[in-house]
Amino acid sequence: MSSSKSRHSGSSRKHKWCLDYSNRNYSSLPSPPGCKTVVIEGSSSDQPQEQNRNLLTKQSWNAALAPMYQVPMNLLLMYMTGSTISIYGLMMVGILMYRPISALLTSKDFYKQLRGDQKLLQMFVYLLANIVSLLLGLYKCEMLGILPIYASDWIKFGIEREVLEIVGGGPILTSV
Amino acid sequence: MELSVLRYHTLCFIIFLFTGVWALYEEDIGKFDWHIRSIGPMKFSFFDQTHHTNRRVIISSELSVLASVTLRSGDLVWRRSLEEYRPIDTVLYRESTLITVSDNGKVVRRWDPESGHLQWEMSSEGEYETNESYINAYLNETNKIILLTSTKLKYYSVGGHLLIHKDLNMEMDGAVAFKMSVLKSSIILLLYNSNSKSVNWVSMLNSKVQENGIIQAFDNFREEHCLLVGMRSIVCLDKQTAKFYVATLEQSEFIVYTLIDLHIGPIDLTEESCIQISDHFSKVTPRFYFILSANRQFILELEFSDNSIRIVQSFSSDNSLLLFDDILENNIIVFSLTSDFTNLSVRCYDLYNEAYIDSLEITLAMNRFSGSPVRAVPYLFYKKGQSIGYRIIVSFQDGSFSLIQQTGRISWTRDEALSDIVSAKFITLSTTEENTIYSSVLLDSATSTNPVEGFYRMIYSQAIYVRDRILHIKQIILEPSIYNETLHEAIQPVQSAAIFVTRLGKVYCIDSKSGLFLWNLYLPHLTGYLSSIYEDTCIIKLINTSPESALVILGHSNSPDYCNGTVSIVVNPLTGEYMPNYPSCLSYNISQSVQLEEDGKVVAIALLDSDNTIHIFPDTYSLQPDTRLFMYTADAQTGEITGHHFSTNGDDTFKHVPTWSFILPRLREELVLFSVKNSAESIYANARVLSDRSVLYKYLNPHLTVLITESRNERKPCVYLYVLDGVSGRLIHQLYHSNARSTVPPILAENWIAYQIINLKEKRQEFIMLEMYEGKTVNNASTWTSFANINVLVLSRSFILPGDLYTMTVTSTNRGITPKDIILGFGNGQLFSLPKSFVEPKIPHELSKSPSPEPAKSPTPKIPLSYQRVINYNKSIDRLREILVAPAELESTCSVLAYGIDIFHTQSSPSKSFDKLAEDFGYTLIIGVLAVFLVFSLVGSSISVYRKTNQNWC
């Protein structure tokens, strides 16, 4: 705090006192007690590398399968919210639809994180899982009846028919 | 003391219990509706002097309506509408006794003049029916009602008892009574025996025959041209030979005077010429006067000594002249009323002194054209300084009547022509140029197919409206002097007005929002066309010509001298001023008409004349050469409905081809009702959704017409219904109901038809709904032609109608989104708004894949008419004839106008007002909350800045 204060007025006034770390050579200093800067030997050996690769693949699989693990949970939620239109049901449908859509949109970033030789399979599984979630959402919408897939949903957009004939008439008007 | 306080509290409590209860919030009464109550053209009138503080006038009208109005303002105090089919023959009034005699003397009623309550009624319905040509009644000094008809003489007491009943036909050997004169308890009857050509006279005292005699009649004897003068002399006028025949009752023959000898002639004795005597004349003895009315009018005196006739005074006028009289003690004053349509002058002639009273002469300026005066009733009284004063009620040809004061002013005028409406129509008018733009833009936004464009247009129109309002407010602030009511009215964006054409030839334009009269015209030669199906009708159309719209009214001329054909009135719908360059008379008789539209606006009318020739009105409009114009006419006499096709020959002439004819079996069926589809109807959905979410496409034929015929065989009454296509003449559907009759024109809207039948077997009214569908697939989605072969699926359902239906119609809104209501008008003057969904037919189970049957809103066969559905609360409409409906500015609302004797207008919202803020919307609350939030956010932001700085410091 005091250093920043001194820095503000540094140009105009002479410093009373100052702590300056910029010119210190850290490498020449001894390590604190219990710490030692040593390069670990043998980090490039085969076995640990294989282990790392497996770990990465496992991690990638976990990430790729994450949407799939949510499917049973979503199914349970869908069952719980019922088939009537209510605010909770709609919120749930919203979340259900939002997650896979946003995941699909940001899938490129996700693919970049994937490591390992099963990358293609993982990508496919990830895609499939999201599509399954999306379909579940759509199924829920259909169950709620908010999916415009029937002819009755489109009758308001029917084009007005052009009438070709002009007609008029009625009982004869008499003047008697 | 305590007891009196307790009583006082009890009284207050009881008074508190009696409060008015209405069917809607009390503050809403008259907010959205208006009601005009009429009496009808005046027939009888009496000055009711029993109320010294609140004087009244009792009026009986041509429409069998009895009413009491205040003398001060002419406002209605009470009104009783008697049966239309039983016209009032005569009305008697003295002090607290008011008697009406109706239906050829069959019904006698006594009314309370103060409240209008019926006190008693005597009806001789079951008696032997005769056609009475003469009816006269007196209320004599002994409070007995003496009723004389051609064949009967009856005495009633004022308490409602039939005292004496004499059948004159039996007693007098076939003679028919034609005159009666009453003086206290004695009466003299004159009867004419057409077999022996003699006049029998009978003198009676308290219904006992005193004397009688026979006078031999002359050759051209006519009963209606005879008078009984002074209880002793008969004076008859022979119009053919221009002679007076005079005889006293003791004589057996008439003495003859020619009019020339009496220095009366030469005068024109026409059909209307007559001699008449006033009741007052017989009260002045020993001088006996009567009036001769021809092209000039004379007061004549009959000298009893030698039966000679002398002229007392002659009245001649180039203008219309009316003579009437009143008595004040022994002083008979004869009033002469002359009118030259701009000025009305009253002169008073003192009959006893045989001189004019100059001090009582007045001249009034008439500020409107009402025609000539028809009837007048005077009332003479002594003013404070023992000078004579008078009031006169004058009725005019246009149905209005006014109270004239002796001070020379018209106290009030009641315009009663609206009680008998021939045709009515809603029109939309825009008042200012800006508003025209506003409404046209708004209309474009409503019809625009592109939603973005529609939205833009809507915003644009709202901006124009806001600009107009700001300009208007600026005008009020800068020039407050020119701000008046009319300007205030003129700023309303879109005005919808109702046009009425009445039987007396008056045309009214009334602002449908406020009920204000915008303008009126009196056209004595205009009457409605007759039709065996419609009672009377006129053609009213608003034509959108540039630069301004024109209102066209076409009707029949009642005077061949004025126009031998069709009367055409073309006026500016805003002002009622005649538009130049239009003919006032068309040389042909119209048999049918059709409106020609361009971009959804009516631009011309095609008129079919009696020779099946088409005329375009206005004749400056030329029809597109490729127009496929069809017309059809229904002749109720021959039972033939014929279709015609017209094609242009390139010039202004048309080629006429008869296309189809539909002939009813004339000996078996009679065409009684006819309905045509409204071409201006907007339809939102072209299909009905079933419960399995599939659709059933509606059969939306715009050319449909419905005929209802009845069997001519009275033993087997039945109703036939035919649904025809007006272009191709194709019979789309037909139905048959046995033991039924039908009285209400059917409704044709969208794809459904609703009609009423009277089930004679079950003695009830039934309501039947037919819905027509194309099926699960649509035939041709882009164009409609009547020549396409479409199989129509018709669904039907009938309901019991709990009430006496007079007329019905269906609501219509701007874009047809709002579900429709059927408005039912009942005989008791109530209008019920019934949702159409309540009376929809059930969809057959095989059409829908749904496992459960189609839900029906109304599972019961009886239409649920609860009183909450009454839209005119306690403002009932007497003798309801028709209900008109027009879309209002908002989609949720539509204007409903019902008329009979009364006119009632209201705004109906079939699905509640979903696009309008509630009336009790808390504007102040919203603004207050917003202001509080604003203040809080401002204060909060400054506090947060302060806190942040402090935080940064810590």
Side-chain angles (χ1 to χ4, degrees), chain B residues 327-364:
Chain B
I327 188 164
L328 193 66
E329 290 177 357
N330 266 331
N331 215 350
I332 297 179
I333 307 261
V334 177
F335 295 83
S336 76
L337 189 78
T338 49
S339 157
D340 62 352
F341 305 133
T342 51
N343 285 309
L344 199 71
S345 58
V346 182
R347 294 187 79 188
C348 299
Y349 183 77
D350 186 344
L351 200 60
Y352 207 79
N353 299 323
E354 297 188 3
Y356 279 108
I357 309 171
D358 293 336
S359 60
L360 298 181
E361 191 176 323
I362 54 168
T363 303
L364 301 142

Side-chain angles (χ1 to χ4, degrees), chain A residues 152 162 165-166 171 174 176, chain B residues 530 592 628 630 693 784-785:
Chain A
S152 58
E162 189 198 349
E165 296 100 4
I166 298 173
T174 51
V176 183
Chain B
L530 289 176
Q592 258 312 321
R628 300 167 81 180
F630 293 84
R693 299 181 72 186
W784 172 270
T785 170

